[in-house]
Amino acid sequence: MEVGQMQRQWLDYTRSLFIEGFLDGQFLQLEQLQDDNNPDFVVEVVSLFFQDSHKLLNDLTIALDQKSVDFKKIDAHVHQLKGSSSSIGAQRVKNCCIAFRNFCEEQNTDACLKCLHQVKQECCLVKNKLETLFRLEQQIMAAGGSIPMMELSF
Amino acid sequence: MTSQNLSTQLRALVVDDNILNRKIHERMLNGLGVECMVVANGKEAVDVHFYGQSFDLILMDKDMPIMNGIEATKELRSMGINSLIVGVSSRSMEAEIREFMEAGLNDYHVKPLTTHKLASIIHNINPNYATK
């Protein structure tokens, strides 16, 4: 595949992630922070997010498995995850967290368990999507091309 | 690249318990030509001042362990720290914002921050500060 085609594929894929709600404008903020002095900024931040969320999801699983559920603790973890997902523009993960916190407030264990399952799924989905995106970027760079400037024109 | 007079180099302190926010806000501020230090909670923010550091801008998260943003802001003001303290939080309930402002903030912004919001904050500190 020639570079022009790869770049169009990257643009189409990126646009689809926004249209399907996986990413929001905050992700574009991250892209704008990447430059020659910080060439891997987006990958670094995204990797950090997945390390952080992996730990939070483990902690949440353990916390919801207790005989006596500590909803304050769970809320604190979900608040962290909501903050992190919001900061990188992982919109669907963030929205799951908002619902999750509402059920924490109601102290509804069953609903919280459902939310946990959902948020794990959304983290998995966005991880796969972003890994695909980064792979496309690497292919473009390897072929001597550059990543197109992302325009929010849809 | 705009050359800055060293004596006008702005310094900021990022206070946030979330590792991602610390990294992103630091990068945003660096990108705007502002030198940055990052700490993970209110107590660390108070400690760095206690040990003699000073900043033009403090970005203070609200919800943090050990010492939260409200307590840290009150403590810093009682120590005589007059730096611009901008509260940052994802919480948006009016009562909570008011409580945070009354602790001694100059301004408050909802997270996530953008480069644009930070540029306007810096402009308030020094209208002549050349940001990218």
Side-chain angles (χ1 to χ4, degrees):
Chain A
M1 206 191 285
E2 50 95 29
V3 173
Q5 254 182 297
M6 284 190 226
Q7 287 170 328
R8 275 191 296 280
Q9 192 181 42
W10 180 92
L11 261 173
D12 288 340
Y13 193 73
T14 307
R15 285 206 184 103
S16 75
L17 295 181
F18 283 91
I19 290 169
E20 289 165 29
F22 287 103
L23 299 176
D24 65 28
Q26 193 61 19
F27 188 78
L28 293 178
Q29 283 286 313
L30 296 187
E31 289 191 328
Q32 285 169 21
L33 292 172
Q34 187 157 293
D35 58 19
D36 290 339
N37 293 327
N38 301 275
D40 301 313
F41 185 72
V42 180
V43 169
E44 283 169 14
V45 171
V46 168
S47 300
L48 206 55
F49 170 70
F50 287 116
Q51 278 168 37
D52 193 45
S53 62
H54 181 77
K55 187 179 182 305
L56 285 167
L57 291 171
N58 274 345
D59 291 343
L60 280 165
T61 305
I62 292 168
L64 275 169
D65 202 31
Q66 301 304 306
K67 272 206 185 93
S68 172
V69 176
D70 184 349
F71 285 101
K72 213 173 162 196
K73 199 183 213 178
I74 291 170
D75 184 72
H77 289 322
V78 180
H79 174 71
Q80 278 290 321
L81 188 57
K82 178 179 162 256
S84 296
S85 56
S86 172
S87 295
I88 69 154
Q91 192 177 248
R92 281 164 59 149
V93 176
K94 181 190 76 174
N95 290 340
C96 271
C97 291
I98 293 171
F100 201 152
R101 294 194 79 196
N102 290 335
F103 290 123
C104 276
E105 221 178 290
E106 292 174 21
Q107 306 213 348
N108 185 333
T109 308
D110 283 341
C112 282
L113 279 164
K114 286 200 178 86
C115 278
L116 177 60
H117 178 74
Q118 220 177 342
V119 85
K120 278 178 178 172
Q121 269 190 321
E122 289 298 342
C123 279
C124 201
L125 272 169
V126 76
K127 186 165 193 261
N128 289 338
K129 299 283 181 184
L130 286 170
E131 280 172 353
T132 303
L133 188 69
F134 294 146
R135 224 175 4 252
L136 285 171
E137 286 180 6
Q138 277 166 0
Q139 284 169 4
I140 293 170
M141 306 288 275
S146 61
I147 313 303
M149 286 305 291
M150 182 65 202
E151 289 157 24
L152 258 181
S153 54
F154 46 84
Chain B
M1 177 86 172
T2 323
S3 63
Q4 289 292 356
N5 180 341
L6 277 175
S7 65
T8 64
Q9 170 76 67
L10 289 185
R11 294 191 71 221
L13 178 68
V14 174
V15 190
D16 202 307
D17 62 332
N18 185 298
I19 189 172
L20 276 157
N21 289 333
R22 288 199 298 272
K23 188 176 171 80
I24 294 169
H25 294 164
E26 182 184 29
R27 173 72 193 97
M28 282 178 175
L29 285 163
N30 286 339
L32 291 167
V34 177
E35 199 185 288
C36 237
M37 183 183 275
V38 297
V39 292
N41 60 61
K43 182 171 186 309
E44 289 180 19
V46 168
D47 287 348
V48 299
H49 283 88
F50 185 75
Y51 289 113
Q53 298 263 17
S54 68
F55 304 91
D56 301 285
L57 168 67
I58 301 170
L59 283 184
M60 184 75 79
D61 185 27
K62 183 169 163 295
D63 299 306
M64 295 179 285
I66 304 172
M67 186 187 283
N68 67 33
I70 293 176
E71 293 160 350
T73 303
K74 283 183 184 166
E75 184 65 29
L76 289 171
R77 291 307 190 204
S78 75
M79 284 164 69
I81 303 299
N82 292 323
S83 314
L84 194 83
I85 306 181
V86 174
V88 189
S89 178
S90 52
R91 309 271 193 180
S92 53
M93 284 183 61
E94 223 181 279
E96 290 176 341
I97 297 172
R98 204 180 323 127
E99 193 192 355
F100 202 4
M101 287 297 293
E102 282 169 5
L105 296 181
N106 296 96
D107 197 2
Y108 172 90
H109 282 275
V110 175
K111 269 197 275 198
L113 284 176
T114 61
T115 305
H116 182 75
K117 279 187 202 172
L118 275 172
S120 73
I121 290 167
I122 289 160
H123 185 78
N124 287 338
I125 301 172
N126 182 351
N128 299 320
Y129 199 76
T131 59
K132 267 194 261 175

